[in-house]
Amino acid sequence: MKRALPFLLLLSLLSGCAPEPVSQSFFAMDTVMSVTLYDGGDTDALVAAQQEVNRLDQLWSRTRPESDVSRLNAAAGSGTPVEVDPDTAALLEQADRAARESGMAFDPVMAPVMDAWGFGATGSESTAVHRVPSQAELDALLPLTRDLPRVEGTAVSLPLAGQAVDLGGIAKGAAAGHVLEVLTGHGVGSAIIDLGGNITALGEKPDGSPFRVMVKDPRDSEGGICVLSLADGATCSTSGGYERYFEADGRVYHHIIDPSTGYPARSGLLSVTVVSQDPYWADAWSTALFVLGAEEALDLWREGPETVQAMELILVEESGRVLVTEGLEEGLEFLGEEAGYTCEIVRR
Ligand code: ADP
Ligand code: MG
């Protein structure tokens, strides 16, 4: 007993001295981001993470004239490839794969159509001028989509004059992948990376349990649909029509465009949440599956590309039905009942 006492004391001291979380919030990629460390306050790691996101923002912004994306867009149709940073080339390759595997539901060259709607035209929602483009205008712009950038090493070109890249549907996921690497490189073992609602977990909570994240109720920004556990390295990314939209003539127009029509996607979904070990895919596919709708999303999850089969999904339908794939069942806390939602677990 005499020997056990100091040991017990040490244990209680250890458990009592879990470090306070340290957090850094910043604005980048037109959204609010934060990185929180749970295993000690390495402020160098936080500074490095923010610097990395800013560096990527400078490469991938559509509004900074010197960015890789702006230079690429300015040279569209010129026949002369633009030299870009290797990270930009890598992202364009990932976007290319997401586009092909989703049958072009994810289309990284939708910028001209986005601009016609006033989404991202100025890069900042606060100053954007939203409008409903005419069918003739859309018909003229749609031929500029679908034709993907040519990437050869770090030399990139857009085949058609007037084309433009917009990486808004994948850039935050990519940035999360970079931040994960930065934090791991600094020896951080427990952190939450929240890049505008794309949430990535590094490690576990200090008590050894998995991090928990709340998926928002798409009809009520204050409320939640469910809470789920996020394994080490997993990203939870949500796309929904409720995030950026405007109203005209009594209709709501949101910022996720169906490339087959040029109109905001109307697939019967309010939101799609993807949980994936790959932050790129979580981001790109949450956008793509929102365009495709629940039925096709589940088909792809059952027998589509490997990347999609490896994901877990939460599909919130306009009907109020919430479809949750079976891999998320353990640890799922459903919160949507009071707001009229019903939860269904989907099996393979
Ligand atoms: P958010 O950026 O609001 O978190 P998403 O990840 O779903 O949501 O990305 C939406 C952004 O993706 C849009 O703002 C636009 O830049 C771009 N985008 C819109 N529609 C598509 C599409 N069909 N394919 C690829 N990117 C798209
Ligand atoms: Mg996305």
Side-chain angles (χ1 to χ4, degrees):
M1 190 60 207
K2 258 185 192 160
R3 274 169 174 245
L5 202 62
F7 178 61
L8 282 177
L9 194 67
L10 182 67
L11 259 189
S12 64
L13 276 177
L14 276 177
S15 61
C17 63
E20 285 287 304
V22 204
S23 193
Q24 172 111 327
S25 295
F26 51 98
F27 193 84
M29 299 185 171
D30 208 19
T31 189
V32 179
M33 305 187 161
S34 72
V35 178
T36 308
L37 312 182
Y38 290 86
D39 62 349
D42 183 353
T43 44
D44 285 355
L46 286 176
V47 171
Q50 184 179 351
Q51 278 172 348
E52 178 66 356
V53 177
N54 285 335
R55 182 182 73 87
L56 299 173
D57 197 6
Q58 276 163 26
L59 292 175
W60 301 339
S61 158
R62 206 144 75 73
T63 50
R64 298 169 199 253
E66 291 309 312
S67 77
D68 279 357
V69 166
S70 294
R71 291 187 302 112
L72 173 62
N73 291 348
S78 69
T80 313
V82 169
E83 269 301 315
V84 297
D85 188 277
D87 289 327
T88 305
L91 178 59
L92 288 169
E93 304 234 22
Q94 301 275 49
D96 185 278
R97 184 168 163 197
R100 290 175 198 278
E101 289 193 347
S102 68
M104 299 307 293
F106 182 88
D107 185 344
V109 289
M110 288 274 290
V113 176
M114 302 287 310
D115 288 349
W117 287 93
F119 288 119
T122 60
S124 161
E125 280 304 302
S126 52
T127 51
V129 181
H130 297 304
R131 54 186 276 277
V132 180
S134 72
Q135 191 59 49
E137 201 179 342
L138 288 177
D139 288 344
L141 294 173
L142 282 171
L144 298 174
T145 67
R146 290 174 172 262
D147 216 339
L148 295 168
R150 313 288 194 263
V151 183
E152 304 221 2
T154 52
V156 189
S157 57
L158 284 166
L160 308 172
Q163 272 196 300
V165 163
D166 178 317
L167 297 171
I170 193 172
K172 283 175 280 173
H178 282 258
V179 170
L180 257 185
E181 267 179 45
V182 167
L183 295 184
T184 317
H186 276 78
V188 173
S190 173
I192 283 284
I193 303 160
D194 179 348
L195 307 187
N198 286 249
I199 299 172
T200 304
L202 170 58
E204 283 106 30
K205 287 198 269 185
D207 68 5
S209 65
F211 282 110
R212 307 273 294 160
V213 293
M214 190 176 82
V215 177
K216 273 192 211 159
D217 176 352
R219 287 199 177 111
D220 168 15
S221 58
E222 305 290 303
I225 277 277
C226 64
V227 180
L228 48 93
S229 295
L230 212 51
D232 178 18
T235 295
C236 171
S237 170
T238 300
S239 290
Y242 62 92
E243 285 176 59
R244 291 185 181 186
Y245 62 90
F246 68 96
E247 288 180 41
D249 312 323
R251 294 196 73 162
V252 173
Y253 299 94
H254 60 71
H255 73 315
I256 301 176
I257 305 291
D258 182 343
S260 66
T261 61
Y263 261 73
R266 287 190 206 283
S267 60
L269 289 172
L270 293 174
S271 71
V272 173
T273 298
V274 171
V275 178
S276 165
Q277 277 293 320
D278 189 319
Y280 286 84
W281 298 134
D283 192 5
W285 276 101
S286 65
T287 309
L289 296 179
F290 182 83
V291 170
L292 291 172
E295 207 182 312
E296 214 165 320
L298 291 176
D299 282 351
L300 289 169
W301 174 73
R302 288 199 174 98
E303 48 204 26
E306 252 172 66
T307 44
V308 187
Q309 288 196 35
M311 294 169 182
E312 299 300 335
L313 312 175
I314 299 174
L315 309 169
V316 183
E317 295 185 323
E318 278 165 5
S319 66
R321 197 162 64 140
V322 181
L323 302 167
V324 181
T325 58
E326 60 187 0
L328 295 174
E329 190 174 10
E330 199 185 317
L332 180 82
E333 188 189 343
F334 186 64
L335 304 174
E337 228 151 56
E338 244 173 66
Y341 294 99
T342 53
C343 181
E344 256 177 56
I345 304 292
V346 182
R347 318 261 167 216
R348 290 253 182 215

